[in-house]
Amino acid sequence: MDALDELLRRPTPSALVALDGAVLSLNAAMARVLGRAVEQCLGRGFGDLLPASQVTAVESLVAHAATTNTVAMRVLEFPGPDTASVVCLVEARSVNDPAGREPLVWVHSLNAANDRGGLLIPFRLAAKAADLGLCMYSPQERELEWLGGAPALAALFPEASMPLSEVVRRVHPEDREPLRRLMTSTAARSPWIKVRFLTERDGCHHLVCQSRRIILGSGGPERVLGVIRDETTWEARRRRALVALSAERQRADEIAAFSSAVMTAVTEQEVRQVILTRLAATFGGTGAALALVTKDRLRVSSDAGIPLPVAAVHGLPLDAPSPLPYVIRTGKPQFIPDQEDYIRCWPNGAMVPYFDQLDTGYAISITPLGPADEQPLGAWLVTYDSAHHSSLDERALMVTLADLAGQALKRVRLQEARVELAAALQQTMLPTLPEHLPGLEVAARYRPSRDGLDIGGDWYDAFVTPDGAVALEIGDAQGHDVDAAAAMGQVRASMRAIAAHEPDPATVLMRTNELLLTMQAARFASCTMLYIDPGDGRVTGASAGHVPLLYARDDGSHSIRELPGGPVLGVLPGADYPEETFTLGKDAALVMVTDGVVEGPALTLDAGLERAGKLAAQAVHDGLNAEETADLILDDAVAENHLDDVAVLIIRRT
């Protein structure tokens, strides 16, 4: 074994391995580059002691030396004693065992100090195969040397080497600190970092870099290898994708906002406003117009961005031979990409005057507001200041939104018709108060609970009885709809008819209750009725389950007066309604209200009565007349966002 021992006494890393790769013996230098103690290496496979990427290389090296009986060389990467791996040029040759056993392989590192560049060849080949660039940094010289790899990346480093300061200068200021950390990292392999690198030839490149520490040969110098990937093209695609995604999101938001706005519109004017302010932006146009049909003629309005004089088409008959009436008549949209296409499709009809004088780049899309089998509503049009070829998706979306706008238009028109009908009905239901009552001021206010439908179940009335007394009543029929209004009309008409023959409120309430039971009315009603003598201010009153009266005095005080009475009208047969008599003083006022005035989501009845009483008392104290006092109380109830109908009746003695 003396000859074999001599092989291991060399200062360079050396080991003797069996043909199967098992380590039989090794010197301290080899154990050091393997990063292990000698005893930890003995008996182990030589390839198992190296990084996984080196296993195939070391196995082929040993097998080649053993089977061909020739010298084999290969650059191998060893784990190293710390985080830096050791790159060595390794020679393997077959040697005889004096003990007569099978041949052994002597593996040892060669001195590559005069050609350390040869140690980097495997790294350069690997970088080129992976389309990566490879550079090397020398910490002592602070120089960066380009080693090659992907040819396209070589243009980034026109010089074979350059000072680190020059490299840093070309890096975006925000990326310089990460680059410094990359170059000075003590880790065996750093994470990937992104760097924006400016070249003199073709501007900024988006690079992704990783570094690793290596030692060139056993006992050689330490270097930092840098691996570079150019993601400029990928980054440009990513940015374009982000821009496109952002544009799609913005368009989706605009479409959602358009849909929401048009569906929540409550008047035709609001529908028109939504279309003219949002339509062009939603579809990338420069202008928009809306044509609605009134008595077989077009009523046109537009935004300020449309290049066409829409006033000239206003009043155009529906049977005119041009695209706009055609679309409305047939329900078939027209997407005209430019003026040339328009003239080809409509040679004998001008859509609007002067269209043929516009630049050929102008485009227009016309979409009906409903299908052809329904009453024509109209159409909208979008103009573009350049040629525009609508995609199938865009056309489908425009048709869908136009149909949505048409539905909204029909809905608001139906609602407006209901409002007009309700307003007319309400006018017949609510009475005209008597004028010039001697010694009295009377004022009334009413507001329904449902926006846009001015009708409900609350009512008031005031009239002079045959014996000269002033009869006043306020009530609340069950419900908040047309049926409630009809029930209210029945009750009010019945009470006025009965009051013409009965001398007191209690009897009027009793007779009205009996009449409603006889009629089998579907709704019940609460009511307060007063008779007032204009001469001496004597008041006689009774209540059918209604809220109390408010008595407001000119000294600013007030009281809540709950009248005697009985149940609501139309429920209990044979009900009695006791009454009470008191005097209304000079310059004092009685405030009669329905529960909607003094009750709300955050307001109890007692608190509401106290609030309204203070308002009325302050108004009387300040010298406000009955009309002004009624406005004050109604406005306060509306400000409280009460959900019920509200009615107020004010009687002030002068």
Side-chain angles (χ1 to χ4, degrees):
M1 294 294 290
D2 291 342
L4 297 181
D5 289 342
E6 184 65 26
L7 296 178
L8 298 180
R9 290 195 185 98
R10 299 194 177 195
T12 58
S14 299
L16 289 171
V17 300
L19 295 183
D20 62 0
V23 177
L24 301 177
S25 59
L26 73 165
N27 62 11
M30 178 62 81
R32 189 162 48 251
V33 297
L34 290 173
R36 304 170 188 269
V38 171
E39 55 273 15
Q40 292 178 320
C41 301
L42 295 175
R44 298 277 301 275
F46 190 55
D48 296 338
L49 300 174
L50 273 68
S53 61
Q54 304 294 298
V55 172
T56 301
V58 73
E59 288 179 349
S60 66
L61 177 69
V62 171
H64 184 81
T67 57
T68 64
N69 201 27
T70 60
V71 176
M73 291 186 187
R74 187 178 291 270
V75 175
L76 296 179
E77 184 178 350
F78 292 82
D82 53 17
T83 56
S85 59
V86 181
V87 180
C88 297
L89 176 60
V90 176
E91 179 185 274
R93 66 173 61 193
S94 177
V95 295
N96 293 321
D97 183 357
R101 294 181 299 185
E102 62 181 5
L104 305 178
V105 176
W106 175 41
V107 179
H108 65 104
S109 173
L110 299 177
N111 185 355
N114 294 327
D115 184 23
R116 289 199 171 98
L119 300 177
L120 299 171
I121 290 177
F123 297 95
R124 294 167 60 185
L125 294 175
K128 186 175 182 179
D131 201 30
L132 300 173
L134 186 68
C135 61
M136 183 172 67
Y137 174 60
S138 302
Q140 293 78 15
E141 292 82 10
R142 298 182 63 82
E143 288 277 329
L144 196 71
E145 180 183 355
W146 176 253
L147 298 180
L153 281 163
L156 301 179
F157 299 91
E159 301 173 2
S161 64
M162 66 174 65
L164 180 62
S165 58
E166 176 62 16
V167 176
V168 172
R169 185 186 67 81
R170 295 188 182 187
V171 170
H172 191 284
E174 294 179 1
D175 300 335
R176 289 172 182 171
E177 183 56 32
L179 177 63
R180 289 192 182 95
R181 290 199 301 268
L182 181 76
M183 304 304 292
T184 58
S185 172
T186 59
R189 193 185 300 266
S190 76
W192 292 92
I193 67 162
K194 294 183 178 182
V195 172
R196 286 162 287 182
F197 189 80
L198 184 65
T199 66
E200 297 178 354
R201 187 169 63 90
D202 53 0
C204 184
H205 283 248
H206 293 264
L207 306 180
V208 181
C209 309
Q210 185 185 55
S211 70
R212 54 177 305 190
R213 297 171 60 215
I214 64 170
I215 296 173
L216 295 177
S218 175
E222 182 176 317
R223 296 289 187 264
V224 177
L225 282 184
V227 181
I228 305 170
R229 183 172 66 247
D230 191 346
E231 293 188 346
T232 304
T233 303
W234 179 87
E235 181 67 21
R237 288 198 299 267
R238 187 185 72 86
R239 288 181 179 274
R240 287 195 296 270
L242 288 176
V243 169
L245 178 60
S246 177
E248 285 299 316
R249 286 177 176 172
Q250 181 178 351
R251 187 176 183 191
D253 290 343
E254 289 173 349
I255 292 169
F258 183 98
S259 303
S260 175
V262 79
M263 290 307 296
T264 55
V266 296
T267 66
E268 184 173 321
Q269 179 180 356
E270 289 185 10
V271 173
R272 184 167 60 251
Q273 174 183 326
V274 170
I275 292 173
L276 295 182
T277 56
R278 294 180 178 270
L279 181 60
T282 300
F283 288 97
T286 54
L290 176 66
L292 299 178
V293 178
T294 302
K295 296 180 179 179
D296 292 332
R297 289 191 175 272
L298 304 187
R299 180 164 49 90
V300 183
S301 52
S302 70
D303 66 5
I306 195 166
L308 306 171
V310 294
V313 78
H314 190 77
L316 194 70
L318 193 56
D319 58 357
S322 60
L324 185 56
Y326 171 82
V327 167
I328 298 174
R329 289 195 313 267
T330 64
K332 298 178 180 179
Q334 293 285 297
F335 301 96
I336 303 170
D338 51 38
Q339 184 226 34
E340 182 181 347
D341 185 79
Y342 164 72
I343 294 174
R344 183 173 60 253
C345 296
W346 299 90
N348 300 319
M351 180 178 57
V352 295
Y354 318 116
F355 182 71
D356 56 352
Q357 301 176 22
L358 294 176
D359 293 339
T360 57
Y362 272 100
I364 193 165
S365 298
I366 313 170
T367 315
L369 299 181
D373 56 353
E374 297 182 1
Q375 183 71 23
L377 286 174
W380 71 33
L381 53 90
V382 180
T383 60
Y384 304 86
D385 60 4
S386 60
H388 181 79
H389 295 269
S390 302
S391 67
L392 293 178
D393 288 343
E394 181 180 288
R395 295 183 180 194
L397 179 61
M398 189 173 287
V399 169
T400 299
L401 290 184
D403 185 62
L404 190 67
Q407 294 178 32
L409 187 63
K410 288 185 285 187
R411 172 180 53 79
V412 300
R413 284 181 173 178
L414 178 61
Q415 179 67 6
E416 288 173 351
R418 292 180 62 198
V419 169
E420 291 177 4
L421 176 62
L425 179 60
Q426 192 72 41
Q427 290 301 316
T428 65
M429 293 293 186
L430 297 177
T432 300
L433 298 180
E435 298 180 358
H436 309 300
L437 292 174
L440 293 176
E441 288 180 356
V442 180
R445 297 290 184 271
Y446 172 80
R447 183 183 179 94
S449 65
R450 297 175 63 187
D451 290 339
L453 187 61
D454 291 331
I455 195 166
D458 288 10
W459 87 91
Y460 59 83
D461 202 357
F463 53 90
V464 180
T465 65
D467 60 1
V470 177
L472 301 137
E473 63 186 66
I474 192 166
D476 182 0
Q478 176 194 16
H480 309 290
D481 51 21
V482 174
D483 291 339
M488 170 270 287
Q490 286 182 319
V491 176
R492 187 178 68 80
S494 299
M495 292 183 68
R496 181 174 278 218
I498 294 171
H501 305 284
E502 297 295 344
D504 56 77
T507 305
V508 174
L509 292 179
M510 181 183 66
R511 299 294 184 214
T512 303
N513 182 57
E514 292 173 352
L515 178 62
L516 293 179
L517 289 168
T518 301
M519 295 169 59
Q520 296 183 335
R523 310 266 179 147
F524 61 83
S526 65
C527 179
T528 290
M529 187 166 193
L530 306 177
Y531 278 17
I532 300 180
D533 187 331
D536 58 10
R538 189 165 62 91
V539 181
T540 303
S543 173
H546 201 65
V547 297
L549 291 172
L550 298 172
Y551 192 130
R553 304 175 185 86
D554 60 353
D555 63 358
S557 64
H558 73 280
S559 58
I560 299 172
R561 181 176 288 275
E562 188 164 1
L563 297 175
V568 294
L569 304 174
V571 175
L572 184 64
D576 289 326
Y577 296 89
E579 60 187 20
E580 178 182 339
T581 300
F582 59 93
T583 299
L584 177 62
K586 285 279 189 178
D587 294 321
L590 290 176
V591 180
M592 306 172 71
V593 299
T594 55
D595 55 2
V597 177
V598 290
E599 281 187 306
L603 193 68
T604 64
L605 176 61
D606 291 341
L609 287 169
E610 185 65 24
R611 181 188 181 103
K614 287 182 178 180
L615 281 174
Q618 187 63 47
V620 172
H621 176 268
D622 294 341
L624 301 184
N625 59 29
E627 297 284 349
E628 294 168 328
T629 304
D631 285 334
L632 186 68
I633 294 175
L634 181 66
D635 290 345
D636 183 71
V638 171
E640 280 293 307
N641 196 29
H642 292 182
L643 303 179
D644 203 353
D645 302 334
V646 293
V648 180
L649 184 60
I650 306 289
I651 312 96
R652 181 172 175 268
R653 187 179 176 199
T654 59

